[in-house]
Amino acid sequence: MESQRTFLFIGLLLVSFLLFTEWQKENNQPKADTSATQTVTSPSQTASNADVPTSSTGLPAQTTHVDRQVITVKTDVLAVKIDTKGGDIVEAKLLKHMEKHGSDVPYLLLGEFDGKQYVSQSGLVGLNGPDAAAQGRPVYTSDKSEYTLTGDELVVPLHFVDDKGVQFTKTFTFKANNYDVGVRYDVNNPTDAPIQVQLYTQIKRTVQDKGSMVDQTYLGATYGTSEEPYEKYSFKKMAEANLNKTTQGGYIAFIQHYFVSAWVPDQTTNNLIYSAVRNGQGIIGVKADPVNIAAGDNAALTAQYYMGPKDTKTLEAIHPDLHLTVDYGWLWFISLPLLSLLKFLYSVIGNWGVSIIAITIVVKSLLYPLTKAQYTSMAKMRMLQPKMQALKERFGDDRQKFGQAMMELYRKEQVNPMGGCFPLLLQMPIFLALFYVFLESTELRHAEFGLWLTDLSSKDPYFVLPILFGASMFLTQKLQPTTVTDPMQQKMMTWMPVIFSVFFLWFPSGLVLYWLVSNLISIAQMLFIYRGMEKKGLKVRG
């Protein structure tokens, strides 16, 4: 039945369109400003008191500007700038991830993006927190203006003493080959009265406007609680309602293509996850319970901040649910095993492109029983065409008798009319899961194959793979002669390879490589299956 074949191609077209839409959504990220790093000189570049949460529902008014300096910190993987006003991380470059393939400009994760802002903030509010003081956020002092990691660990302490003599030390701890930073507040209360402080950690990013269809990317906040391990909270949701979730532990994050920044508070304490939109800035944060410090006593408050690539193992080690920010969609249970297999193949082969070819061979081999059932069913349906035509001539316009006779023919010949559809539909989840693997896996960013394919995560610069894929579809049609007489269906079948090639022009070349190799293997399997049927005396072609 040729309508079955048409249905299969329509299904493929629909899936490809969905893949194309998702790829465009995720591939159109705001470009970072990779020009020379700017020195923070104005309060607009970091937090004002208007960004700082308090113990109450209100927010303190913005105060006047206080001079401060910017401290630079360099490790083997990070180049960070910390503003001494508030001790915020106002810039972070990832030294092992370049802005573009082949360039020597590190990827700018936090900082200024063509007038847009992305910073990480933390502080102490509460009754006696310095970040809630009327005079504005504290300006810390530092022993040095530049810190460089020379061993396994680098400690960057900042100091502040309030007008009552309470001593605050905010310490950043960086480790070699690590993108997560420990943040610790040591509070010493030498006064004769108790004080109360409350730790908050938050991420602030300029609200991103939605543009054309290809700009409909999810670039926004996520959070996790003890009951909700992973939830997205977009800029739109922030504008509609402030997030207010109480949980033990938890985390908050901002995610984007390939990278994430996240605050993980003390998991033993109760925390409030909140959001706000202030002056065009979307904020998501975590606020711990107040801590009371007796006169003459001291206390320590801690949190952990991650700023780097979406590496599932690293993120899971920081928080058991943080790896969910590597969003493989609803087919994550298929994507994760496929990613593990792809990584294993790469560890053996050493080339991501060849590894993609290898995983294609593995997947197609495992799916061979389904492929055989698909082509066998389609071949049997074609062989029934003369008998189907005879039934049409016999019963004419009597649809009821024709339908009964057709079902009897299927039963007699032991043919399932949908037998060619179900195997293909069962393969679709694997195609979709692999799409998310290519989309979300940082390992494939700027991964080289060879020759002109220098970045498997981006489109083929010369469109060779999409054209070859279209050619493989055309060859498949030629090897499966059609008896379609309807002009509309004939045109659709003729233009199908062209339509697919156009869709694939903007796909990541790694995914197109997978589809091309899969198509070539399918052709080989089809010829093998048909040859076996013809040896049994069944004419399945021509």
Side-chain angles (χ1 to χ4, degrees):
M1 182 184 292
E2 292 302 331
S3 60
Q4 177 198 62
R5 189 176 181 186
T6 302
F7 169 79
L8 297 178
F9 277 112
I10 291 175
L12 278 172
L13 183 61
L14 177 60
V15 170
S16 296
F17 176 74
L18 293 174
L19 290 174
F20 170 75
T21 302
E22 289 298 317
W23 166 247
Q24 289 285 38
K25 284 165 61 178
E26 297 290 347
N27 198 39
N28 284 272
Q29 302 290 335
K31 295 182 179 180
D33 180 5
T34 56
S35 59
T37 304
Q38 302 175 2
T39 301
V40 178
T41 57
S42 68
S44 63
Q45 290 179 287
T46 56
S48 68
N49 261 39
D51 301 325
V52 178
T54 65
S55 303
S56 62
T57 57
L59 290 173
Q62 183 172 347
T63 57
T64 57
H65 166 61
V66 178
D67 291 332
R68 73 273 198 173
Q69 68 177 120
V70 173
I71 300 169
T72 60
V73 181
K74 187 174 182 179
T75 72
D76 54 339
V77 297
L78 290 169
V80 173
K81 291 197 172 187
I82 301 173
D83 188 351
T84 57
K85 183 176 182 180
D88 296 335
I89 298 177
V90 295
E91 184 177 285
K93 292 182 177 180
L94 310 184
L95 301 181
K96 290 189 176 182
H97 296 268
M98 298 300 106
E99 187 66 35
K100 296 180 180 179
H101 183 268
S103 75
D104 56 357
V105 179
Y107 187 83
L108 183 63
L109 181 62
L110 303 181
E112 294 285 337
F113 302 85
D114 297 327
K116 298 179 175 64
Q117 188 183 63
Y118 186 14
V119 297
S120 174
Q121 304 172 318
S122 56
L124 296 176
V125 289
L127 295 178
N128 306 103
D131 289 88
Q135 64 268 27
R137 299 191 70 201
V139 176
Y140 291 87
T141 60
S142 174
D143 297 335
K144 297 188 295 184
S145 61
E146 296 182 3
Y147 291 83
T148 303
L149 177 70
T150 56
D152 295 330
E153 186 175 280
L154 175 63
V155 176
V156 180
L158 305 177
H159 307 283
F160 175 76
V161 180
D162 69 11
D163 55 4
K164 295 181 180 179
V166 180
Q167 302 163 358
F168 300 90
T169 300
K170 182 176 186 178
T171 304
F172 294 89
T173 303
F174 298 83
K175 294 183 179 180
N177 199 33
N178 270 288
Y179 293 96
D180 56 299
V181 181
V183 178
R184 175 187 173 105
Y185 277 92
D186 289 288
V187 184
N188 180 32
N189 179 20
T191 70
D192 56 2
I195 62 173
Q196 184 189 87
V197 296
Q198 192 173 14
L199 175 64
Y200 78 92
T201 56
Q202 65 184 26
I203 305 170
K204 182 176 72 171
R205 186 160 193 165
T206 301
V207 173
Q208 303 293 304
D209 296 327
K210 291 185 177 181
S212 61
M213 181 187 72
V214 297
D215 293 324
Q216 301 298 309
T217 177
Y218 180 79
L219 182 151
T222 66
Y223 69 90
T225 68
S226 56
E227 296 180 352
E228 301 168 299
Y230 174 69
E231 293 291 331
K232 293 180 180 178
Y233 208 74
S234 65
F235 290 117
K236 181 179 179 181
K237 289 182 179 179
M238 287 185 185
E240 293 173 348
N242 290 335
L243 187 61
N244 190 1
K245 296 271 186 177
T246 301
T247 181
Q248 179 175 343
Y251 70 88
I252 57 99
F254 257 100
I255 64 173
Q256 63 189 70
H257 197 200
Y258 294 125
F259 303 103
V260 59
S261 69
W263 275 109
V264 179
D266 187 339
Q267 297 298 292
T268 64
T269 63
N270 289 324
N271 300 296
L272 174 67
I273 296 178
Y274 62 89
S275 71
V277 176
R278 294 287 186 271
N279 301 320
Q281 307 290 328
I283 299 171
I284 187 167
V286 179
K287 187 166 54 176
D289 282 340
V291 175
N292 296 308
I293 306 173
D297 202 356
N298 56 70
L301 301 88
T302 62
Q304 195 170 11
Y305 181 64
Y306 180 88
M307 44 185 166
K310 290 179 177 177
D311 182 81
T312 52
K313 289 185 177 180
T314 300
L315 295 172
E316 192 172 17
I318 297 172
H319 187 283
D321 296 327
L322 192 57
H323 71 286
L324 297 175
T325 57
V326 188
D327 194 350
Y328 290 115
W330 63 279
L331 292 170
W332 58 269
F333 56 93
I334 301 177
S335 295
L336 288 177
L338 288 175
L339 177 60
S340 297
L341 176 59
L342 185 61
K343 287 182 177 180
F344 169 76
L345 293 172
Y346 176 75
S347 68
V348 175
I349 299 171
N351 181 288
W352 284 111
V354 179
S355 300
I356 290 172
I357 295 174
I359 198 174
T360 310
I361 295 172
V362 172
V363 170
K364 292 297 292 183
S365 298
L366 293 175
L367 294 177
Y368 177 73
L370 294 178
T371 303
K372 184 177 181 180
Q374 173 189 338
Y375 285 122
T376 300
S377 176
M378 294 176 70
K380 288 181 177 180
M381 290 296 295
R382 279 197 300 276
M383 289 188 294
L384 289 182
Q385 286 300 314
K387 295 182 179 180
M388 291 286 292
Q389 186 62 34
L391 290 178
K392 287 182 181 180
E393 295 173 357
R394 178 180 176 184
F395 295 104
D397 296 331
D398 193 335
R399 292 180 176 273
Q400 183 177 359
K401 289 185 178 180
F402 173 72
Q404 292 175 348
M406 182 175 62
M407 296 306 296
E408 177 62 24
L409 178 63
Y410 289 155
R411 186 193 63 78
K412 181 179 178 181
E413 298 291 339
Q414 297 183 340
V415 173
N416 181 358
M418 299 300 292
C421 301
F422 290 129
L424 182 63
L425 293 178
L426 290 174
Q427 296 177 51
M428 289 303 170
I430 295 178
F431 293 143
L432 288 168
L434 273 171
F435 167 75
Y436 280 104
V437 167
F438 291 126
L439 187 68
E440 283 287 283
S441 301
T442 309
E443 295 87 349
L444 291 172
R445 182 177 186 264
H446 297 170
E448 295 190 15
F449 179 21
L451 300 176
W452 75 98
L453 295 175
T454 59
D455 185 359
L456 292 171
S457 66
S458 64
K459 67 179 182 180
D460 185 335
Y462 302 109
F463 308 117
V464 175
L465 293 182
I467 293 173
L468 289 178
F469 177 83
S472 70
M473 284 194 66
F474 181 78
L475 178 60
T476 301
Q477 289 186 359
K478 289 298 181 182
L479 293 174
Q480 290 181 303
T482 178
T483 58
V484 170
T485 58
D486 180 71
M488 182 63 68
Q489 291 191 34
Q490 285 181 338
K491 288 182 180 179
M492 184 179 68
M493 301 294 287
T494 301
W495 284 98
M496 194 65 66
V498 178
I499 295 172
F500 269 82
S501 295
V502 172
F503 272 122
F504 278 24
L505 291 179
W506 292 274
F507 270 43
S509 55
L511 186 63
V512 182
L513 177 64
Y514 171 84
W515 279 73
L516 171 61
V517 176
S518 178
N519 235 19
L520 295 176
I521 295 174
S522 293
I523 291 172
Q525 290 177 337
M526 177 181 63
L527 294 174
F528 177 76
I529 293 167
Y530 285 173
R531 187 176 294 115
M533 296 178 69
E534 289 171 347
K535 286 182 178 179
K536 295 179 181 180
L538 300 175
K539 187 179 180 181
V540 297
R541 290 178 290 176

mmCIF file of all heavy atoms in Angstrom, residues 3 22 30 67 81 120 160 203 216 224 236 292 302 308 319 345 361 433 453 483 487 518 521 539 541:
data_model
loop_
_atom_site.group_PDB
_atom_site.id
_atom_site.type_symbol
_atom_site.label_atom_id
_atom_site.label_comp_id
_atom_site.label_asym_id
_atom_site.label_seq_id
_atom_site.Cartn_x
_atom_site.Cartn_y
_atom_site.Cartn_z
ATOM 1 N N SER A 3 0.093 4.337 0.274
ATOM 2 C CA SER A 3 -0.235 5.327 1.296
ATOM 3 C C SER A 3 0.572 5.083 2.556
ATOM 4 O O SER A 3 0.904 6.008 3.298
ATOM 5 C CB SER A 3 -1.730 5.293 1.617
ATOM 6 O OG SER A 3 -2.095 4.011 2.097
ATOM 7 N N GLU A 22 14.034 22.479 17.137
ATOM 8 C CA GLU A 22 14.744 22.416 18.409
ATOM 9 C C GLU A 22 16.188 22.862 18.252
ATOM 10 O O GLU A 22 16.738 23.567 19.098
ATOM 11 C CB GLU A 22 14.691 20.994 18.983
ATOM 12 C CG GLU A 22 13.330 20.594 19.494
ATOM 13 C CD GLU A 22 12.890 21.476 20.630
ATOM 14 O OE1 GLU A 22 13.704 21.774 21.521
ATOM 15 O OE2 GLU A 22 11.725 21.902 20.632
ATOM 16 N N PRO A 30 22.736 34.301 22.624
ATOM 17 C CA PRO A 30 23.359 35.618 22.562
ATOM 18 C C PRO A 30 24.870 35.495 22.465
ATOM 19 O O PRO A 30 25.473 34.679 23.159
ATOM 20 C CB PRO A 30 22.950 36.265 23.888
ATOM 21 C CG PRO A 30 21.767 35.497 24.343
ATOM 22 C CD PRO A 30 21.943 34.107 23.818
ATOM 23 N N ASP A 67 33.322 53.791 45.862
ATOM 24 C CA ASP A 67 34.461 53.343 45.062
ATOM 25 C C ASP A 67 34.920 51.963 45.516
ATOM 26 O O ASP A 67 34.905 51.639 46.696
ATOM 27 C CB ASP A 67 35.618 54.336 45.202
ATOM 28 C CG ASP A 67 35.307 55.654 44.524
ATOM 29 O OD1 ASP A 67 34.521 55.635 43.548
ATOM 30 O OD2 ASP A 67 35.829 56.691 44.974
ATOM 31 N N LYS A 81 36.882 37.703 37.625
ATOM 32 C CA LYS A 81 36.998 39.036 38.211
ATOM 33 C C LYS A 81 35.977 39.165 39.330
ATOM 34 O O LYS A 81 34.797 38.834 39.159
ATOM 35 C CB LYS A 81 36.785 40.118 37.156
ATOM 36 C CG LYS A 81 37.920 40.176 36.150
ATOM 37 C CD LYS A 81 37.925 41.480 35.385
ATOM 38 C CE LYS A 81 39.191 41.594 34.532
ATOM 39 N NZ LYS A 81 39.315 42.905 33.897
ATOM 40 N N SER A 120 27.269 36.775 39.180
ATOM 41 C CA SER A 120 26.956 35.931 40.327
ATOM 42 C C SER A 120 27.162 36.732 41.603
ATOM 43 O O SER A 120 28.197 37.379 41.778
ATOM 44 C CB SER A 120 27.863 34.698 40.331
ATOM 45 O OG SER A 120 27.673 33.952 41.495
ATOM 46 N N PHE A 160 36.020 42.755 55.773
ATOM 47 C CA PHE A 160 35.185 43.921 56.024
ATOM 48 C C PHE A 160 34.853 43.992 57.521
ATOM 49 O O PHE A 160 34.578 42.959 58.143
ATOM 50 C CB PHE A 160 33.893 43.861 55.215
ATOM 51 C CG PHE A 160 32.937 44.974 55.510
ATOM 52 C CD1 PHE A 160 33.153 46.251 55.013
ATOM 53 C CD2 PHE A 160 31.805 44.753 56.302
ATOM 54 C CE1 PHE A 160 32.271 47.291 55.292
ATOM 55 C CE2 PHE A 160 30.916 45.778 56.582
ATOM 56 C CZ PHE A 160 31.154 47.058 56.080
ATOM 57 N N ILE A 203 21.949 34.606 41.198
ATOM 58 C CA ILE A 203 22.480 34.858 39.859
ATOM 59 C C ILE A 203 21.581 35.891 39.204
ATOM 60 O O ILE A 203 20.353 35.796 39.264
ATOM 61 C CB ILE A 203 22.527 33.576 39.015
ATOM 62 C CG1 ILE A 203 23.330 32.477 39.733
ATOM 63 C CG2 ILE A 203 23.127 33.846 37.642
ATOM 64 C CD1 ILE A 203 23.219 31.117 39.082
ATOM 65 N N GLN A 216 13.692 31.513 19.523
ATOM 66 C CA GLN A 216 12.873 31.061 20.637
ATOM 67 C C GLN A 216 13.637 30.033 21.470
ATOM 68 O O GLN A 216 13.186 28.912 21.675
ATOM 69 C CB GLN A 216 11.561 30.458 20.109
ATOM 70 C CG GLN A 216 10.738 31.422 19.275
ATOM 71 C CD GLN A 216 10.298 32.635 20.060
ATOM 72 O OE1 GLN A 216 9.747 32.507 21.135
ATOM 73 N NE2 GLN A 216 10.560 33.809 19.538
ATOM 74 N N GLY A 224 16.105 23.397 41.795
ATOM 75 C CA GLY A 224 15.754 22.071 42.293
ATOM 76 C C GLY A 224 15.466 22.131 43.778
ATOM 77 O O GLY A 224 16.129 22.856 44.527
ATOM 78 N N LYS A 236 9.919 34.866 31.518
ATOM 79 C CA LYS A 236 8.487 35.163 31.459
ATOM 80 C C LYS A 236 7.811 34.825 32.775
ATOM 81 O O LYS A 236 6.994 35.601 33.287
ATOM 82 C CB LYS A 236 7.841 34.387 30.314
ATOM 83 C CG LYS A 236 6.352 34.653 30.158
ATOM 84 C CD LYS A 236 5.771 33.863 28.995
ATOM 85 C CE LYS A 236 4.280 34.116 28.860
ATOM 86 N NZ LYS A 236 3.679 33.337 27.743
ATOM 87 N N ASN A 292 21.951 33.128 64.292
ATOM 88 C CA ASN A 292 22.192 33.987 65.448
ATOM 89 C C ASN A 292 23.596 33.732 65.992
ATOM 90 O O ASN A 292 23.984 32.577 66.211
ATOM 91 C CB ASN A 292 21.150 33.733 66.533
ATOM 92 C CG ASN A 292 19.748 34.108 66.075
ATOM 93 O OD1 ASN A 292 19.529 35.212 65.602
ATOM 94 N ND2 ASN A 292 18.810 33.178 66.202
ATOM 95 N N THR A 302 28.462 28.693 54.502
ATOM 96 C CA THR A 302 29.116 28.238 53.273
ATOM 97 C C THR A 302 28.121 27.998 52.145
ATOM 98 O O THR A 302 26.931 27.766 52.359
ATOM 99 C CB THR A 302 29.894 26.932 53.520
ATOM 100 O OG1 THR A 302 28.977 25.906 53.923
ATOM 101 C CG2 THR A 302 30.952 27.125 54.586
ATOM 102 N N GLY A 308 30.678 26.710 34.495
ATOM 103 C CA GLY A 308 31.447 25.963 33.520
ATOM 104 C C GLY A 308 30.589 25.142 32.585
ATOM 105 O O GLY A 308 29.383 25.372 32.432
ATOM 106 N N HIS A 319 25.941 18.232 43.312
ATOM 107 C CA HIS A 319 24.580 18.064 43.846
ATOM 108 C C HIS A 319 23.940 16.896 43.102
ATOM 109 O O HIS A 319 24.066 16.800 41.873
ATOM 110 C CB HIS A 319 23.759 19.338 43.663
ATOM 111 C CG HIS A 319 22.421 19.295 44.320
ATOM 112 N ND1 HIS A 319 21.347 18.600 43.797
ATOM 113 C CD2 HIS A 319 21.964 19.851 45.481
ATOM 114 C CE1 HIS A 319 20.298 18.731 44.583
ATOM 115 N NE2 HIS A 319 20.646 19.493 45.609
ATOM 116 N N LEU A 345 33.172 4.639 22.833
ATOM 117 C CA LEU A 345 33.725 4.477 21.491
ATOM 118 C C LEU A 345 34.820 5.502 21.226
ATOM 119 O O LEU A 345 35.842 5.190 20.608
ATOM 120 C CB LEU A 345 32.609 4.598 20.455
ATOM 121 C CG LEU A 345 31.570 3.471 20.461
ATOM 122 C CD1 LEU A 345 30.405 3.800 19.533
ATOM 123 C CD2 LEU A 345 32.204 2.146 20.049
ATOM 124 N N ILE A 361 26.601 2.283 13.425
ATOM 125 C CA ILE A 361 26.659 0.859 13.063
ATOM 126 C C ILE A 361 26.100 0.006 14.197
ATOM 127 O O ILE A 361 25.331 -0.949 13.963
ATOM 128 C CB ILE A 361 28.108 0.454 12.741
ATOM 129 C CG1 ILE A 361 28.599 1.186 11.485
ATOM 130 C CG2 ILE A 361 28.229 -1.053 12.551
ATOM 131 C CD1 ILE A 361 30.075 0.999 11.180
ATOM 132 N N ALA A 433 16.611 11.030 20.651
ATOM 133 C CA ALA A 433 17.527 10.980 21.792
ATOM 134 C C ALA A 433 18.943 11.341 21.361
ATOM 135 O O ALA A 433 19.655 12.068 22.070
ATOM 136 C CB ALA A 433 17.495 9.589 22.422
ATOM 137 N N LEU A 453 35.208 19.083 7.990
ATOM 138 C CA LEU A 453 34.342 19.000 9.168
ATOM 139 C C LEU A 453 35.180 19.227 10.429
ATOM 140 O O LEU A 453 35.689 18.287 11.040
ATOM 141 C CB LEU A 453 33.640 17.639 9.214
ATOM 142 C CG LEU A 453 32.660 17.364 8.075
ATOM 143 C CD1 LEU A 453 32.115 15.943 8.163
ATOM 144 C CD2 LEU A 453 31.520 18.372 8.089
ATOM 145 N N THR A 483 4.522 2.267 -7.403
ATOM 146 C CA THR A 483 3.415 2.141 -8.357
ATOM 147 C C THR A 483 2.391 3.244 -8.145
ATOM 148 O O THR A 483 1.246 3.145 -8.575
ATOM 149 C CB THR A 483 2.730 0.771 -8.175
ATOM 150 O OG1 THR A 483 2.277 0.652 -6.816
ATOM 151 C CG2 THR A 483 3.686 -0.357 -8.506
ATOM 152 N N PRO A 487 -0.877 11.992 -8.908
ATOM 153 C CA PRO A 487 0.136 13.026 -9.235
ATOM 154 C C PRO A 487 0.667 13.748 -7.999
ATOM 155 O O PRO A 487 1.863 14.057 -7.922
ATOM 156 C CB PRO A 487 -0.629 13.987 -10.157
ATOM 157 C CG PRO A 487 -1.748 13.178 -10.715
ATOM 158 C CD PRO A 487 -2.132 12.208 -9.647
ATOM 159 N N SER A 518 23.405 6.184 8.701
ATOM 160 C CA SER A 518 22.249 5.330 8.971
ATOM 161 C C SER A 518 21.500 5.003 7.689
ATOM 162 O O SER A 518 21.070 3.865 7.479
ATOM 163 C CB SER A 518 21.315 6.040 9.964
ATOM 164 O OG SER A 518 20.166 5.258 10.218
ATOM 165 N N ILE A 521 23.527 2.477 5.637
ATOM 166 C CA ILE A 521 23.398 1.137 6.222
ATOM 167 C C ILE A 521 22.015 0.562 5.924
ATOM 168 O O ILE A 521 21.876 -0.630 5.616
ATOM 169 C CB ILE A 521 23.652 1.180 7.737
ATOM 170 C CG1 ILE A 521 25.098 1.591 8.013
ATOM 171 C CG2 ILE A 521 23.355 -0.169 8.382
ATOM 172 C CD1 ILE A 521 25.410 1.793 9.488
ATOM 173 N N LYS A 539 9.235 -12.033 -5.888
ATOM 174 C CA LYS A 539 9.655 -10.858 -6.643
ATOM 175 C C LYS A 539 9.225 -9.614 -5.877
ATOM 176 O O LYS A 539 8.047 -9.282 -5.823
ATOM 177 C CB LYS A 539 9.028 -10.865 -8.037
ATOM 178 C CG LYS A 539 9.571 -9.733 -8.917
ATOM 179 C CD LYS A 539 8.947 -9.784 -10.305
ATOM 180 C CE LYS A 539 9.497 -8.649 -11.155
ATOM 181 N NZ LYS A 539 8.893 -8.636 -12.517
ATOM 182 N N ARG A 541 10.965 -6.490 -6.134
ATOM 183 C CA ARG A 541 11.338 -5.233 -6.791
ATOM 184 C C ARG A 541 10.959 -5.285 -8.264
ATOM 185 O O ARG A 541 10.911 -6.336 -8.870
ATOM 186 C CB ARG A 541 12.848 -4.987 -6.665
ATOM 187 C CG ARG A 541 13.293 -4.650 -5.250
ATOM 188 C CD ARG A 541 14.782 -4.462 -5.181
ATOM 189 N NE ARG A 541 15.481 -5.731 -5.372
ATOM 190 C CZ ARG A 541 16.802 -5.843 -5.432
ATOM 191 N NH1 ARG A 541 17.565 -4.768 -5.326
ATOM 192 N NH2 ARG A 541 17.362 -7.021 -5.596
#
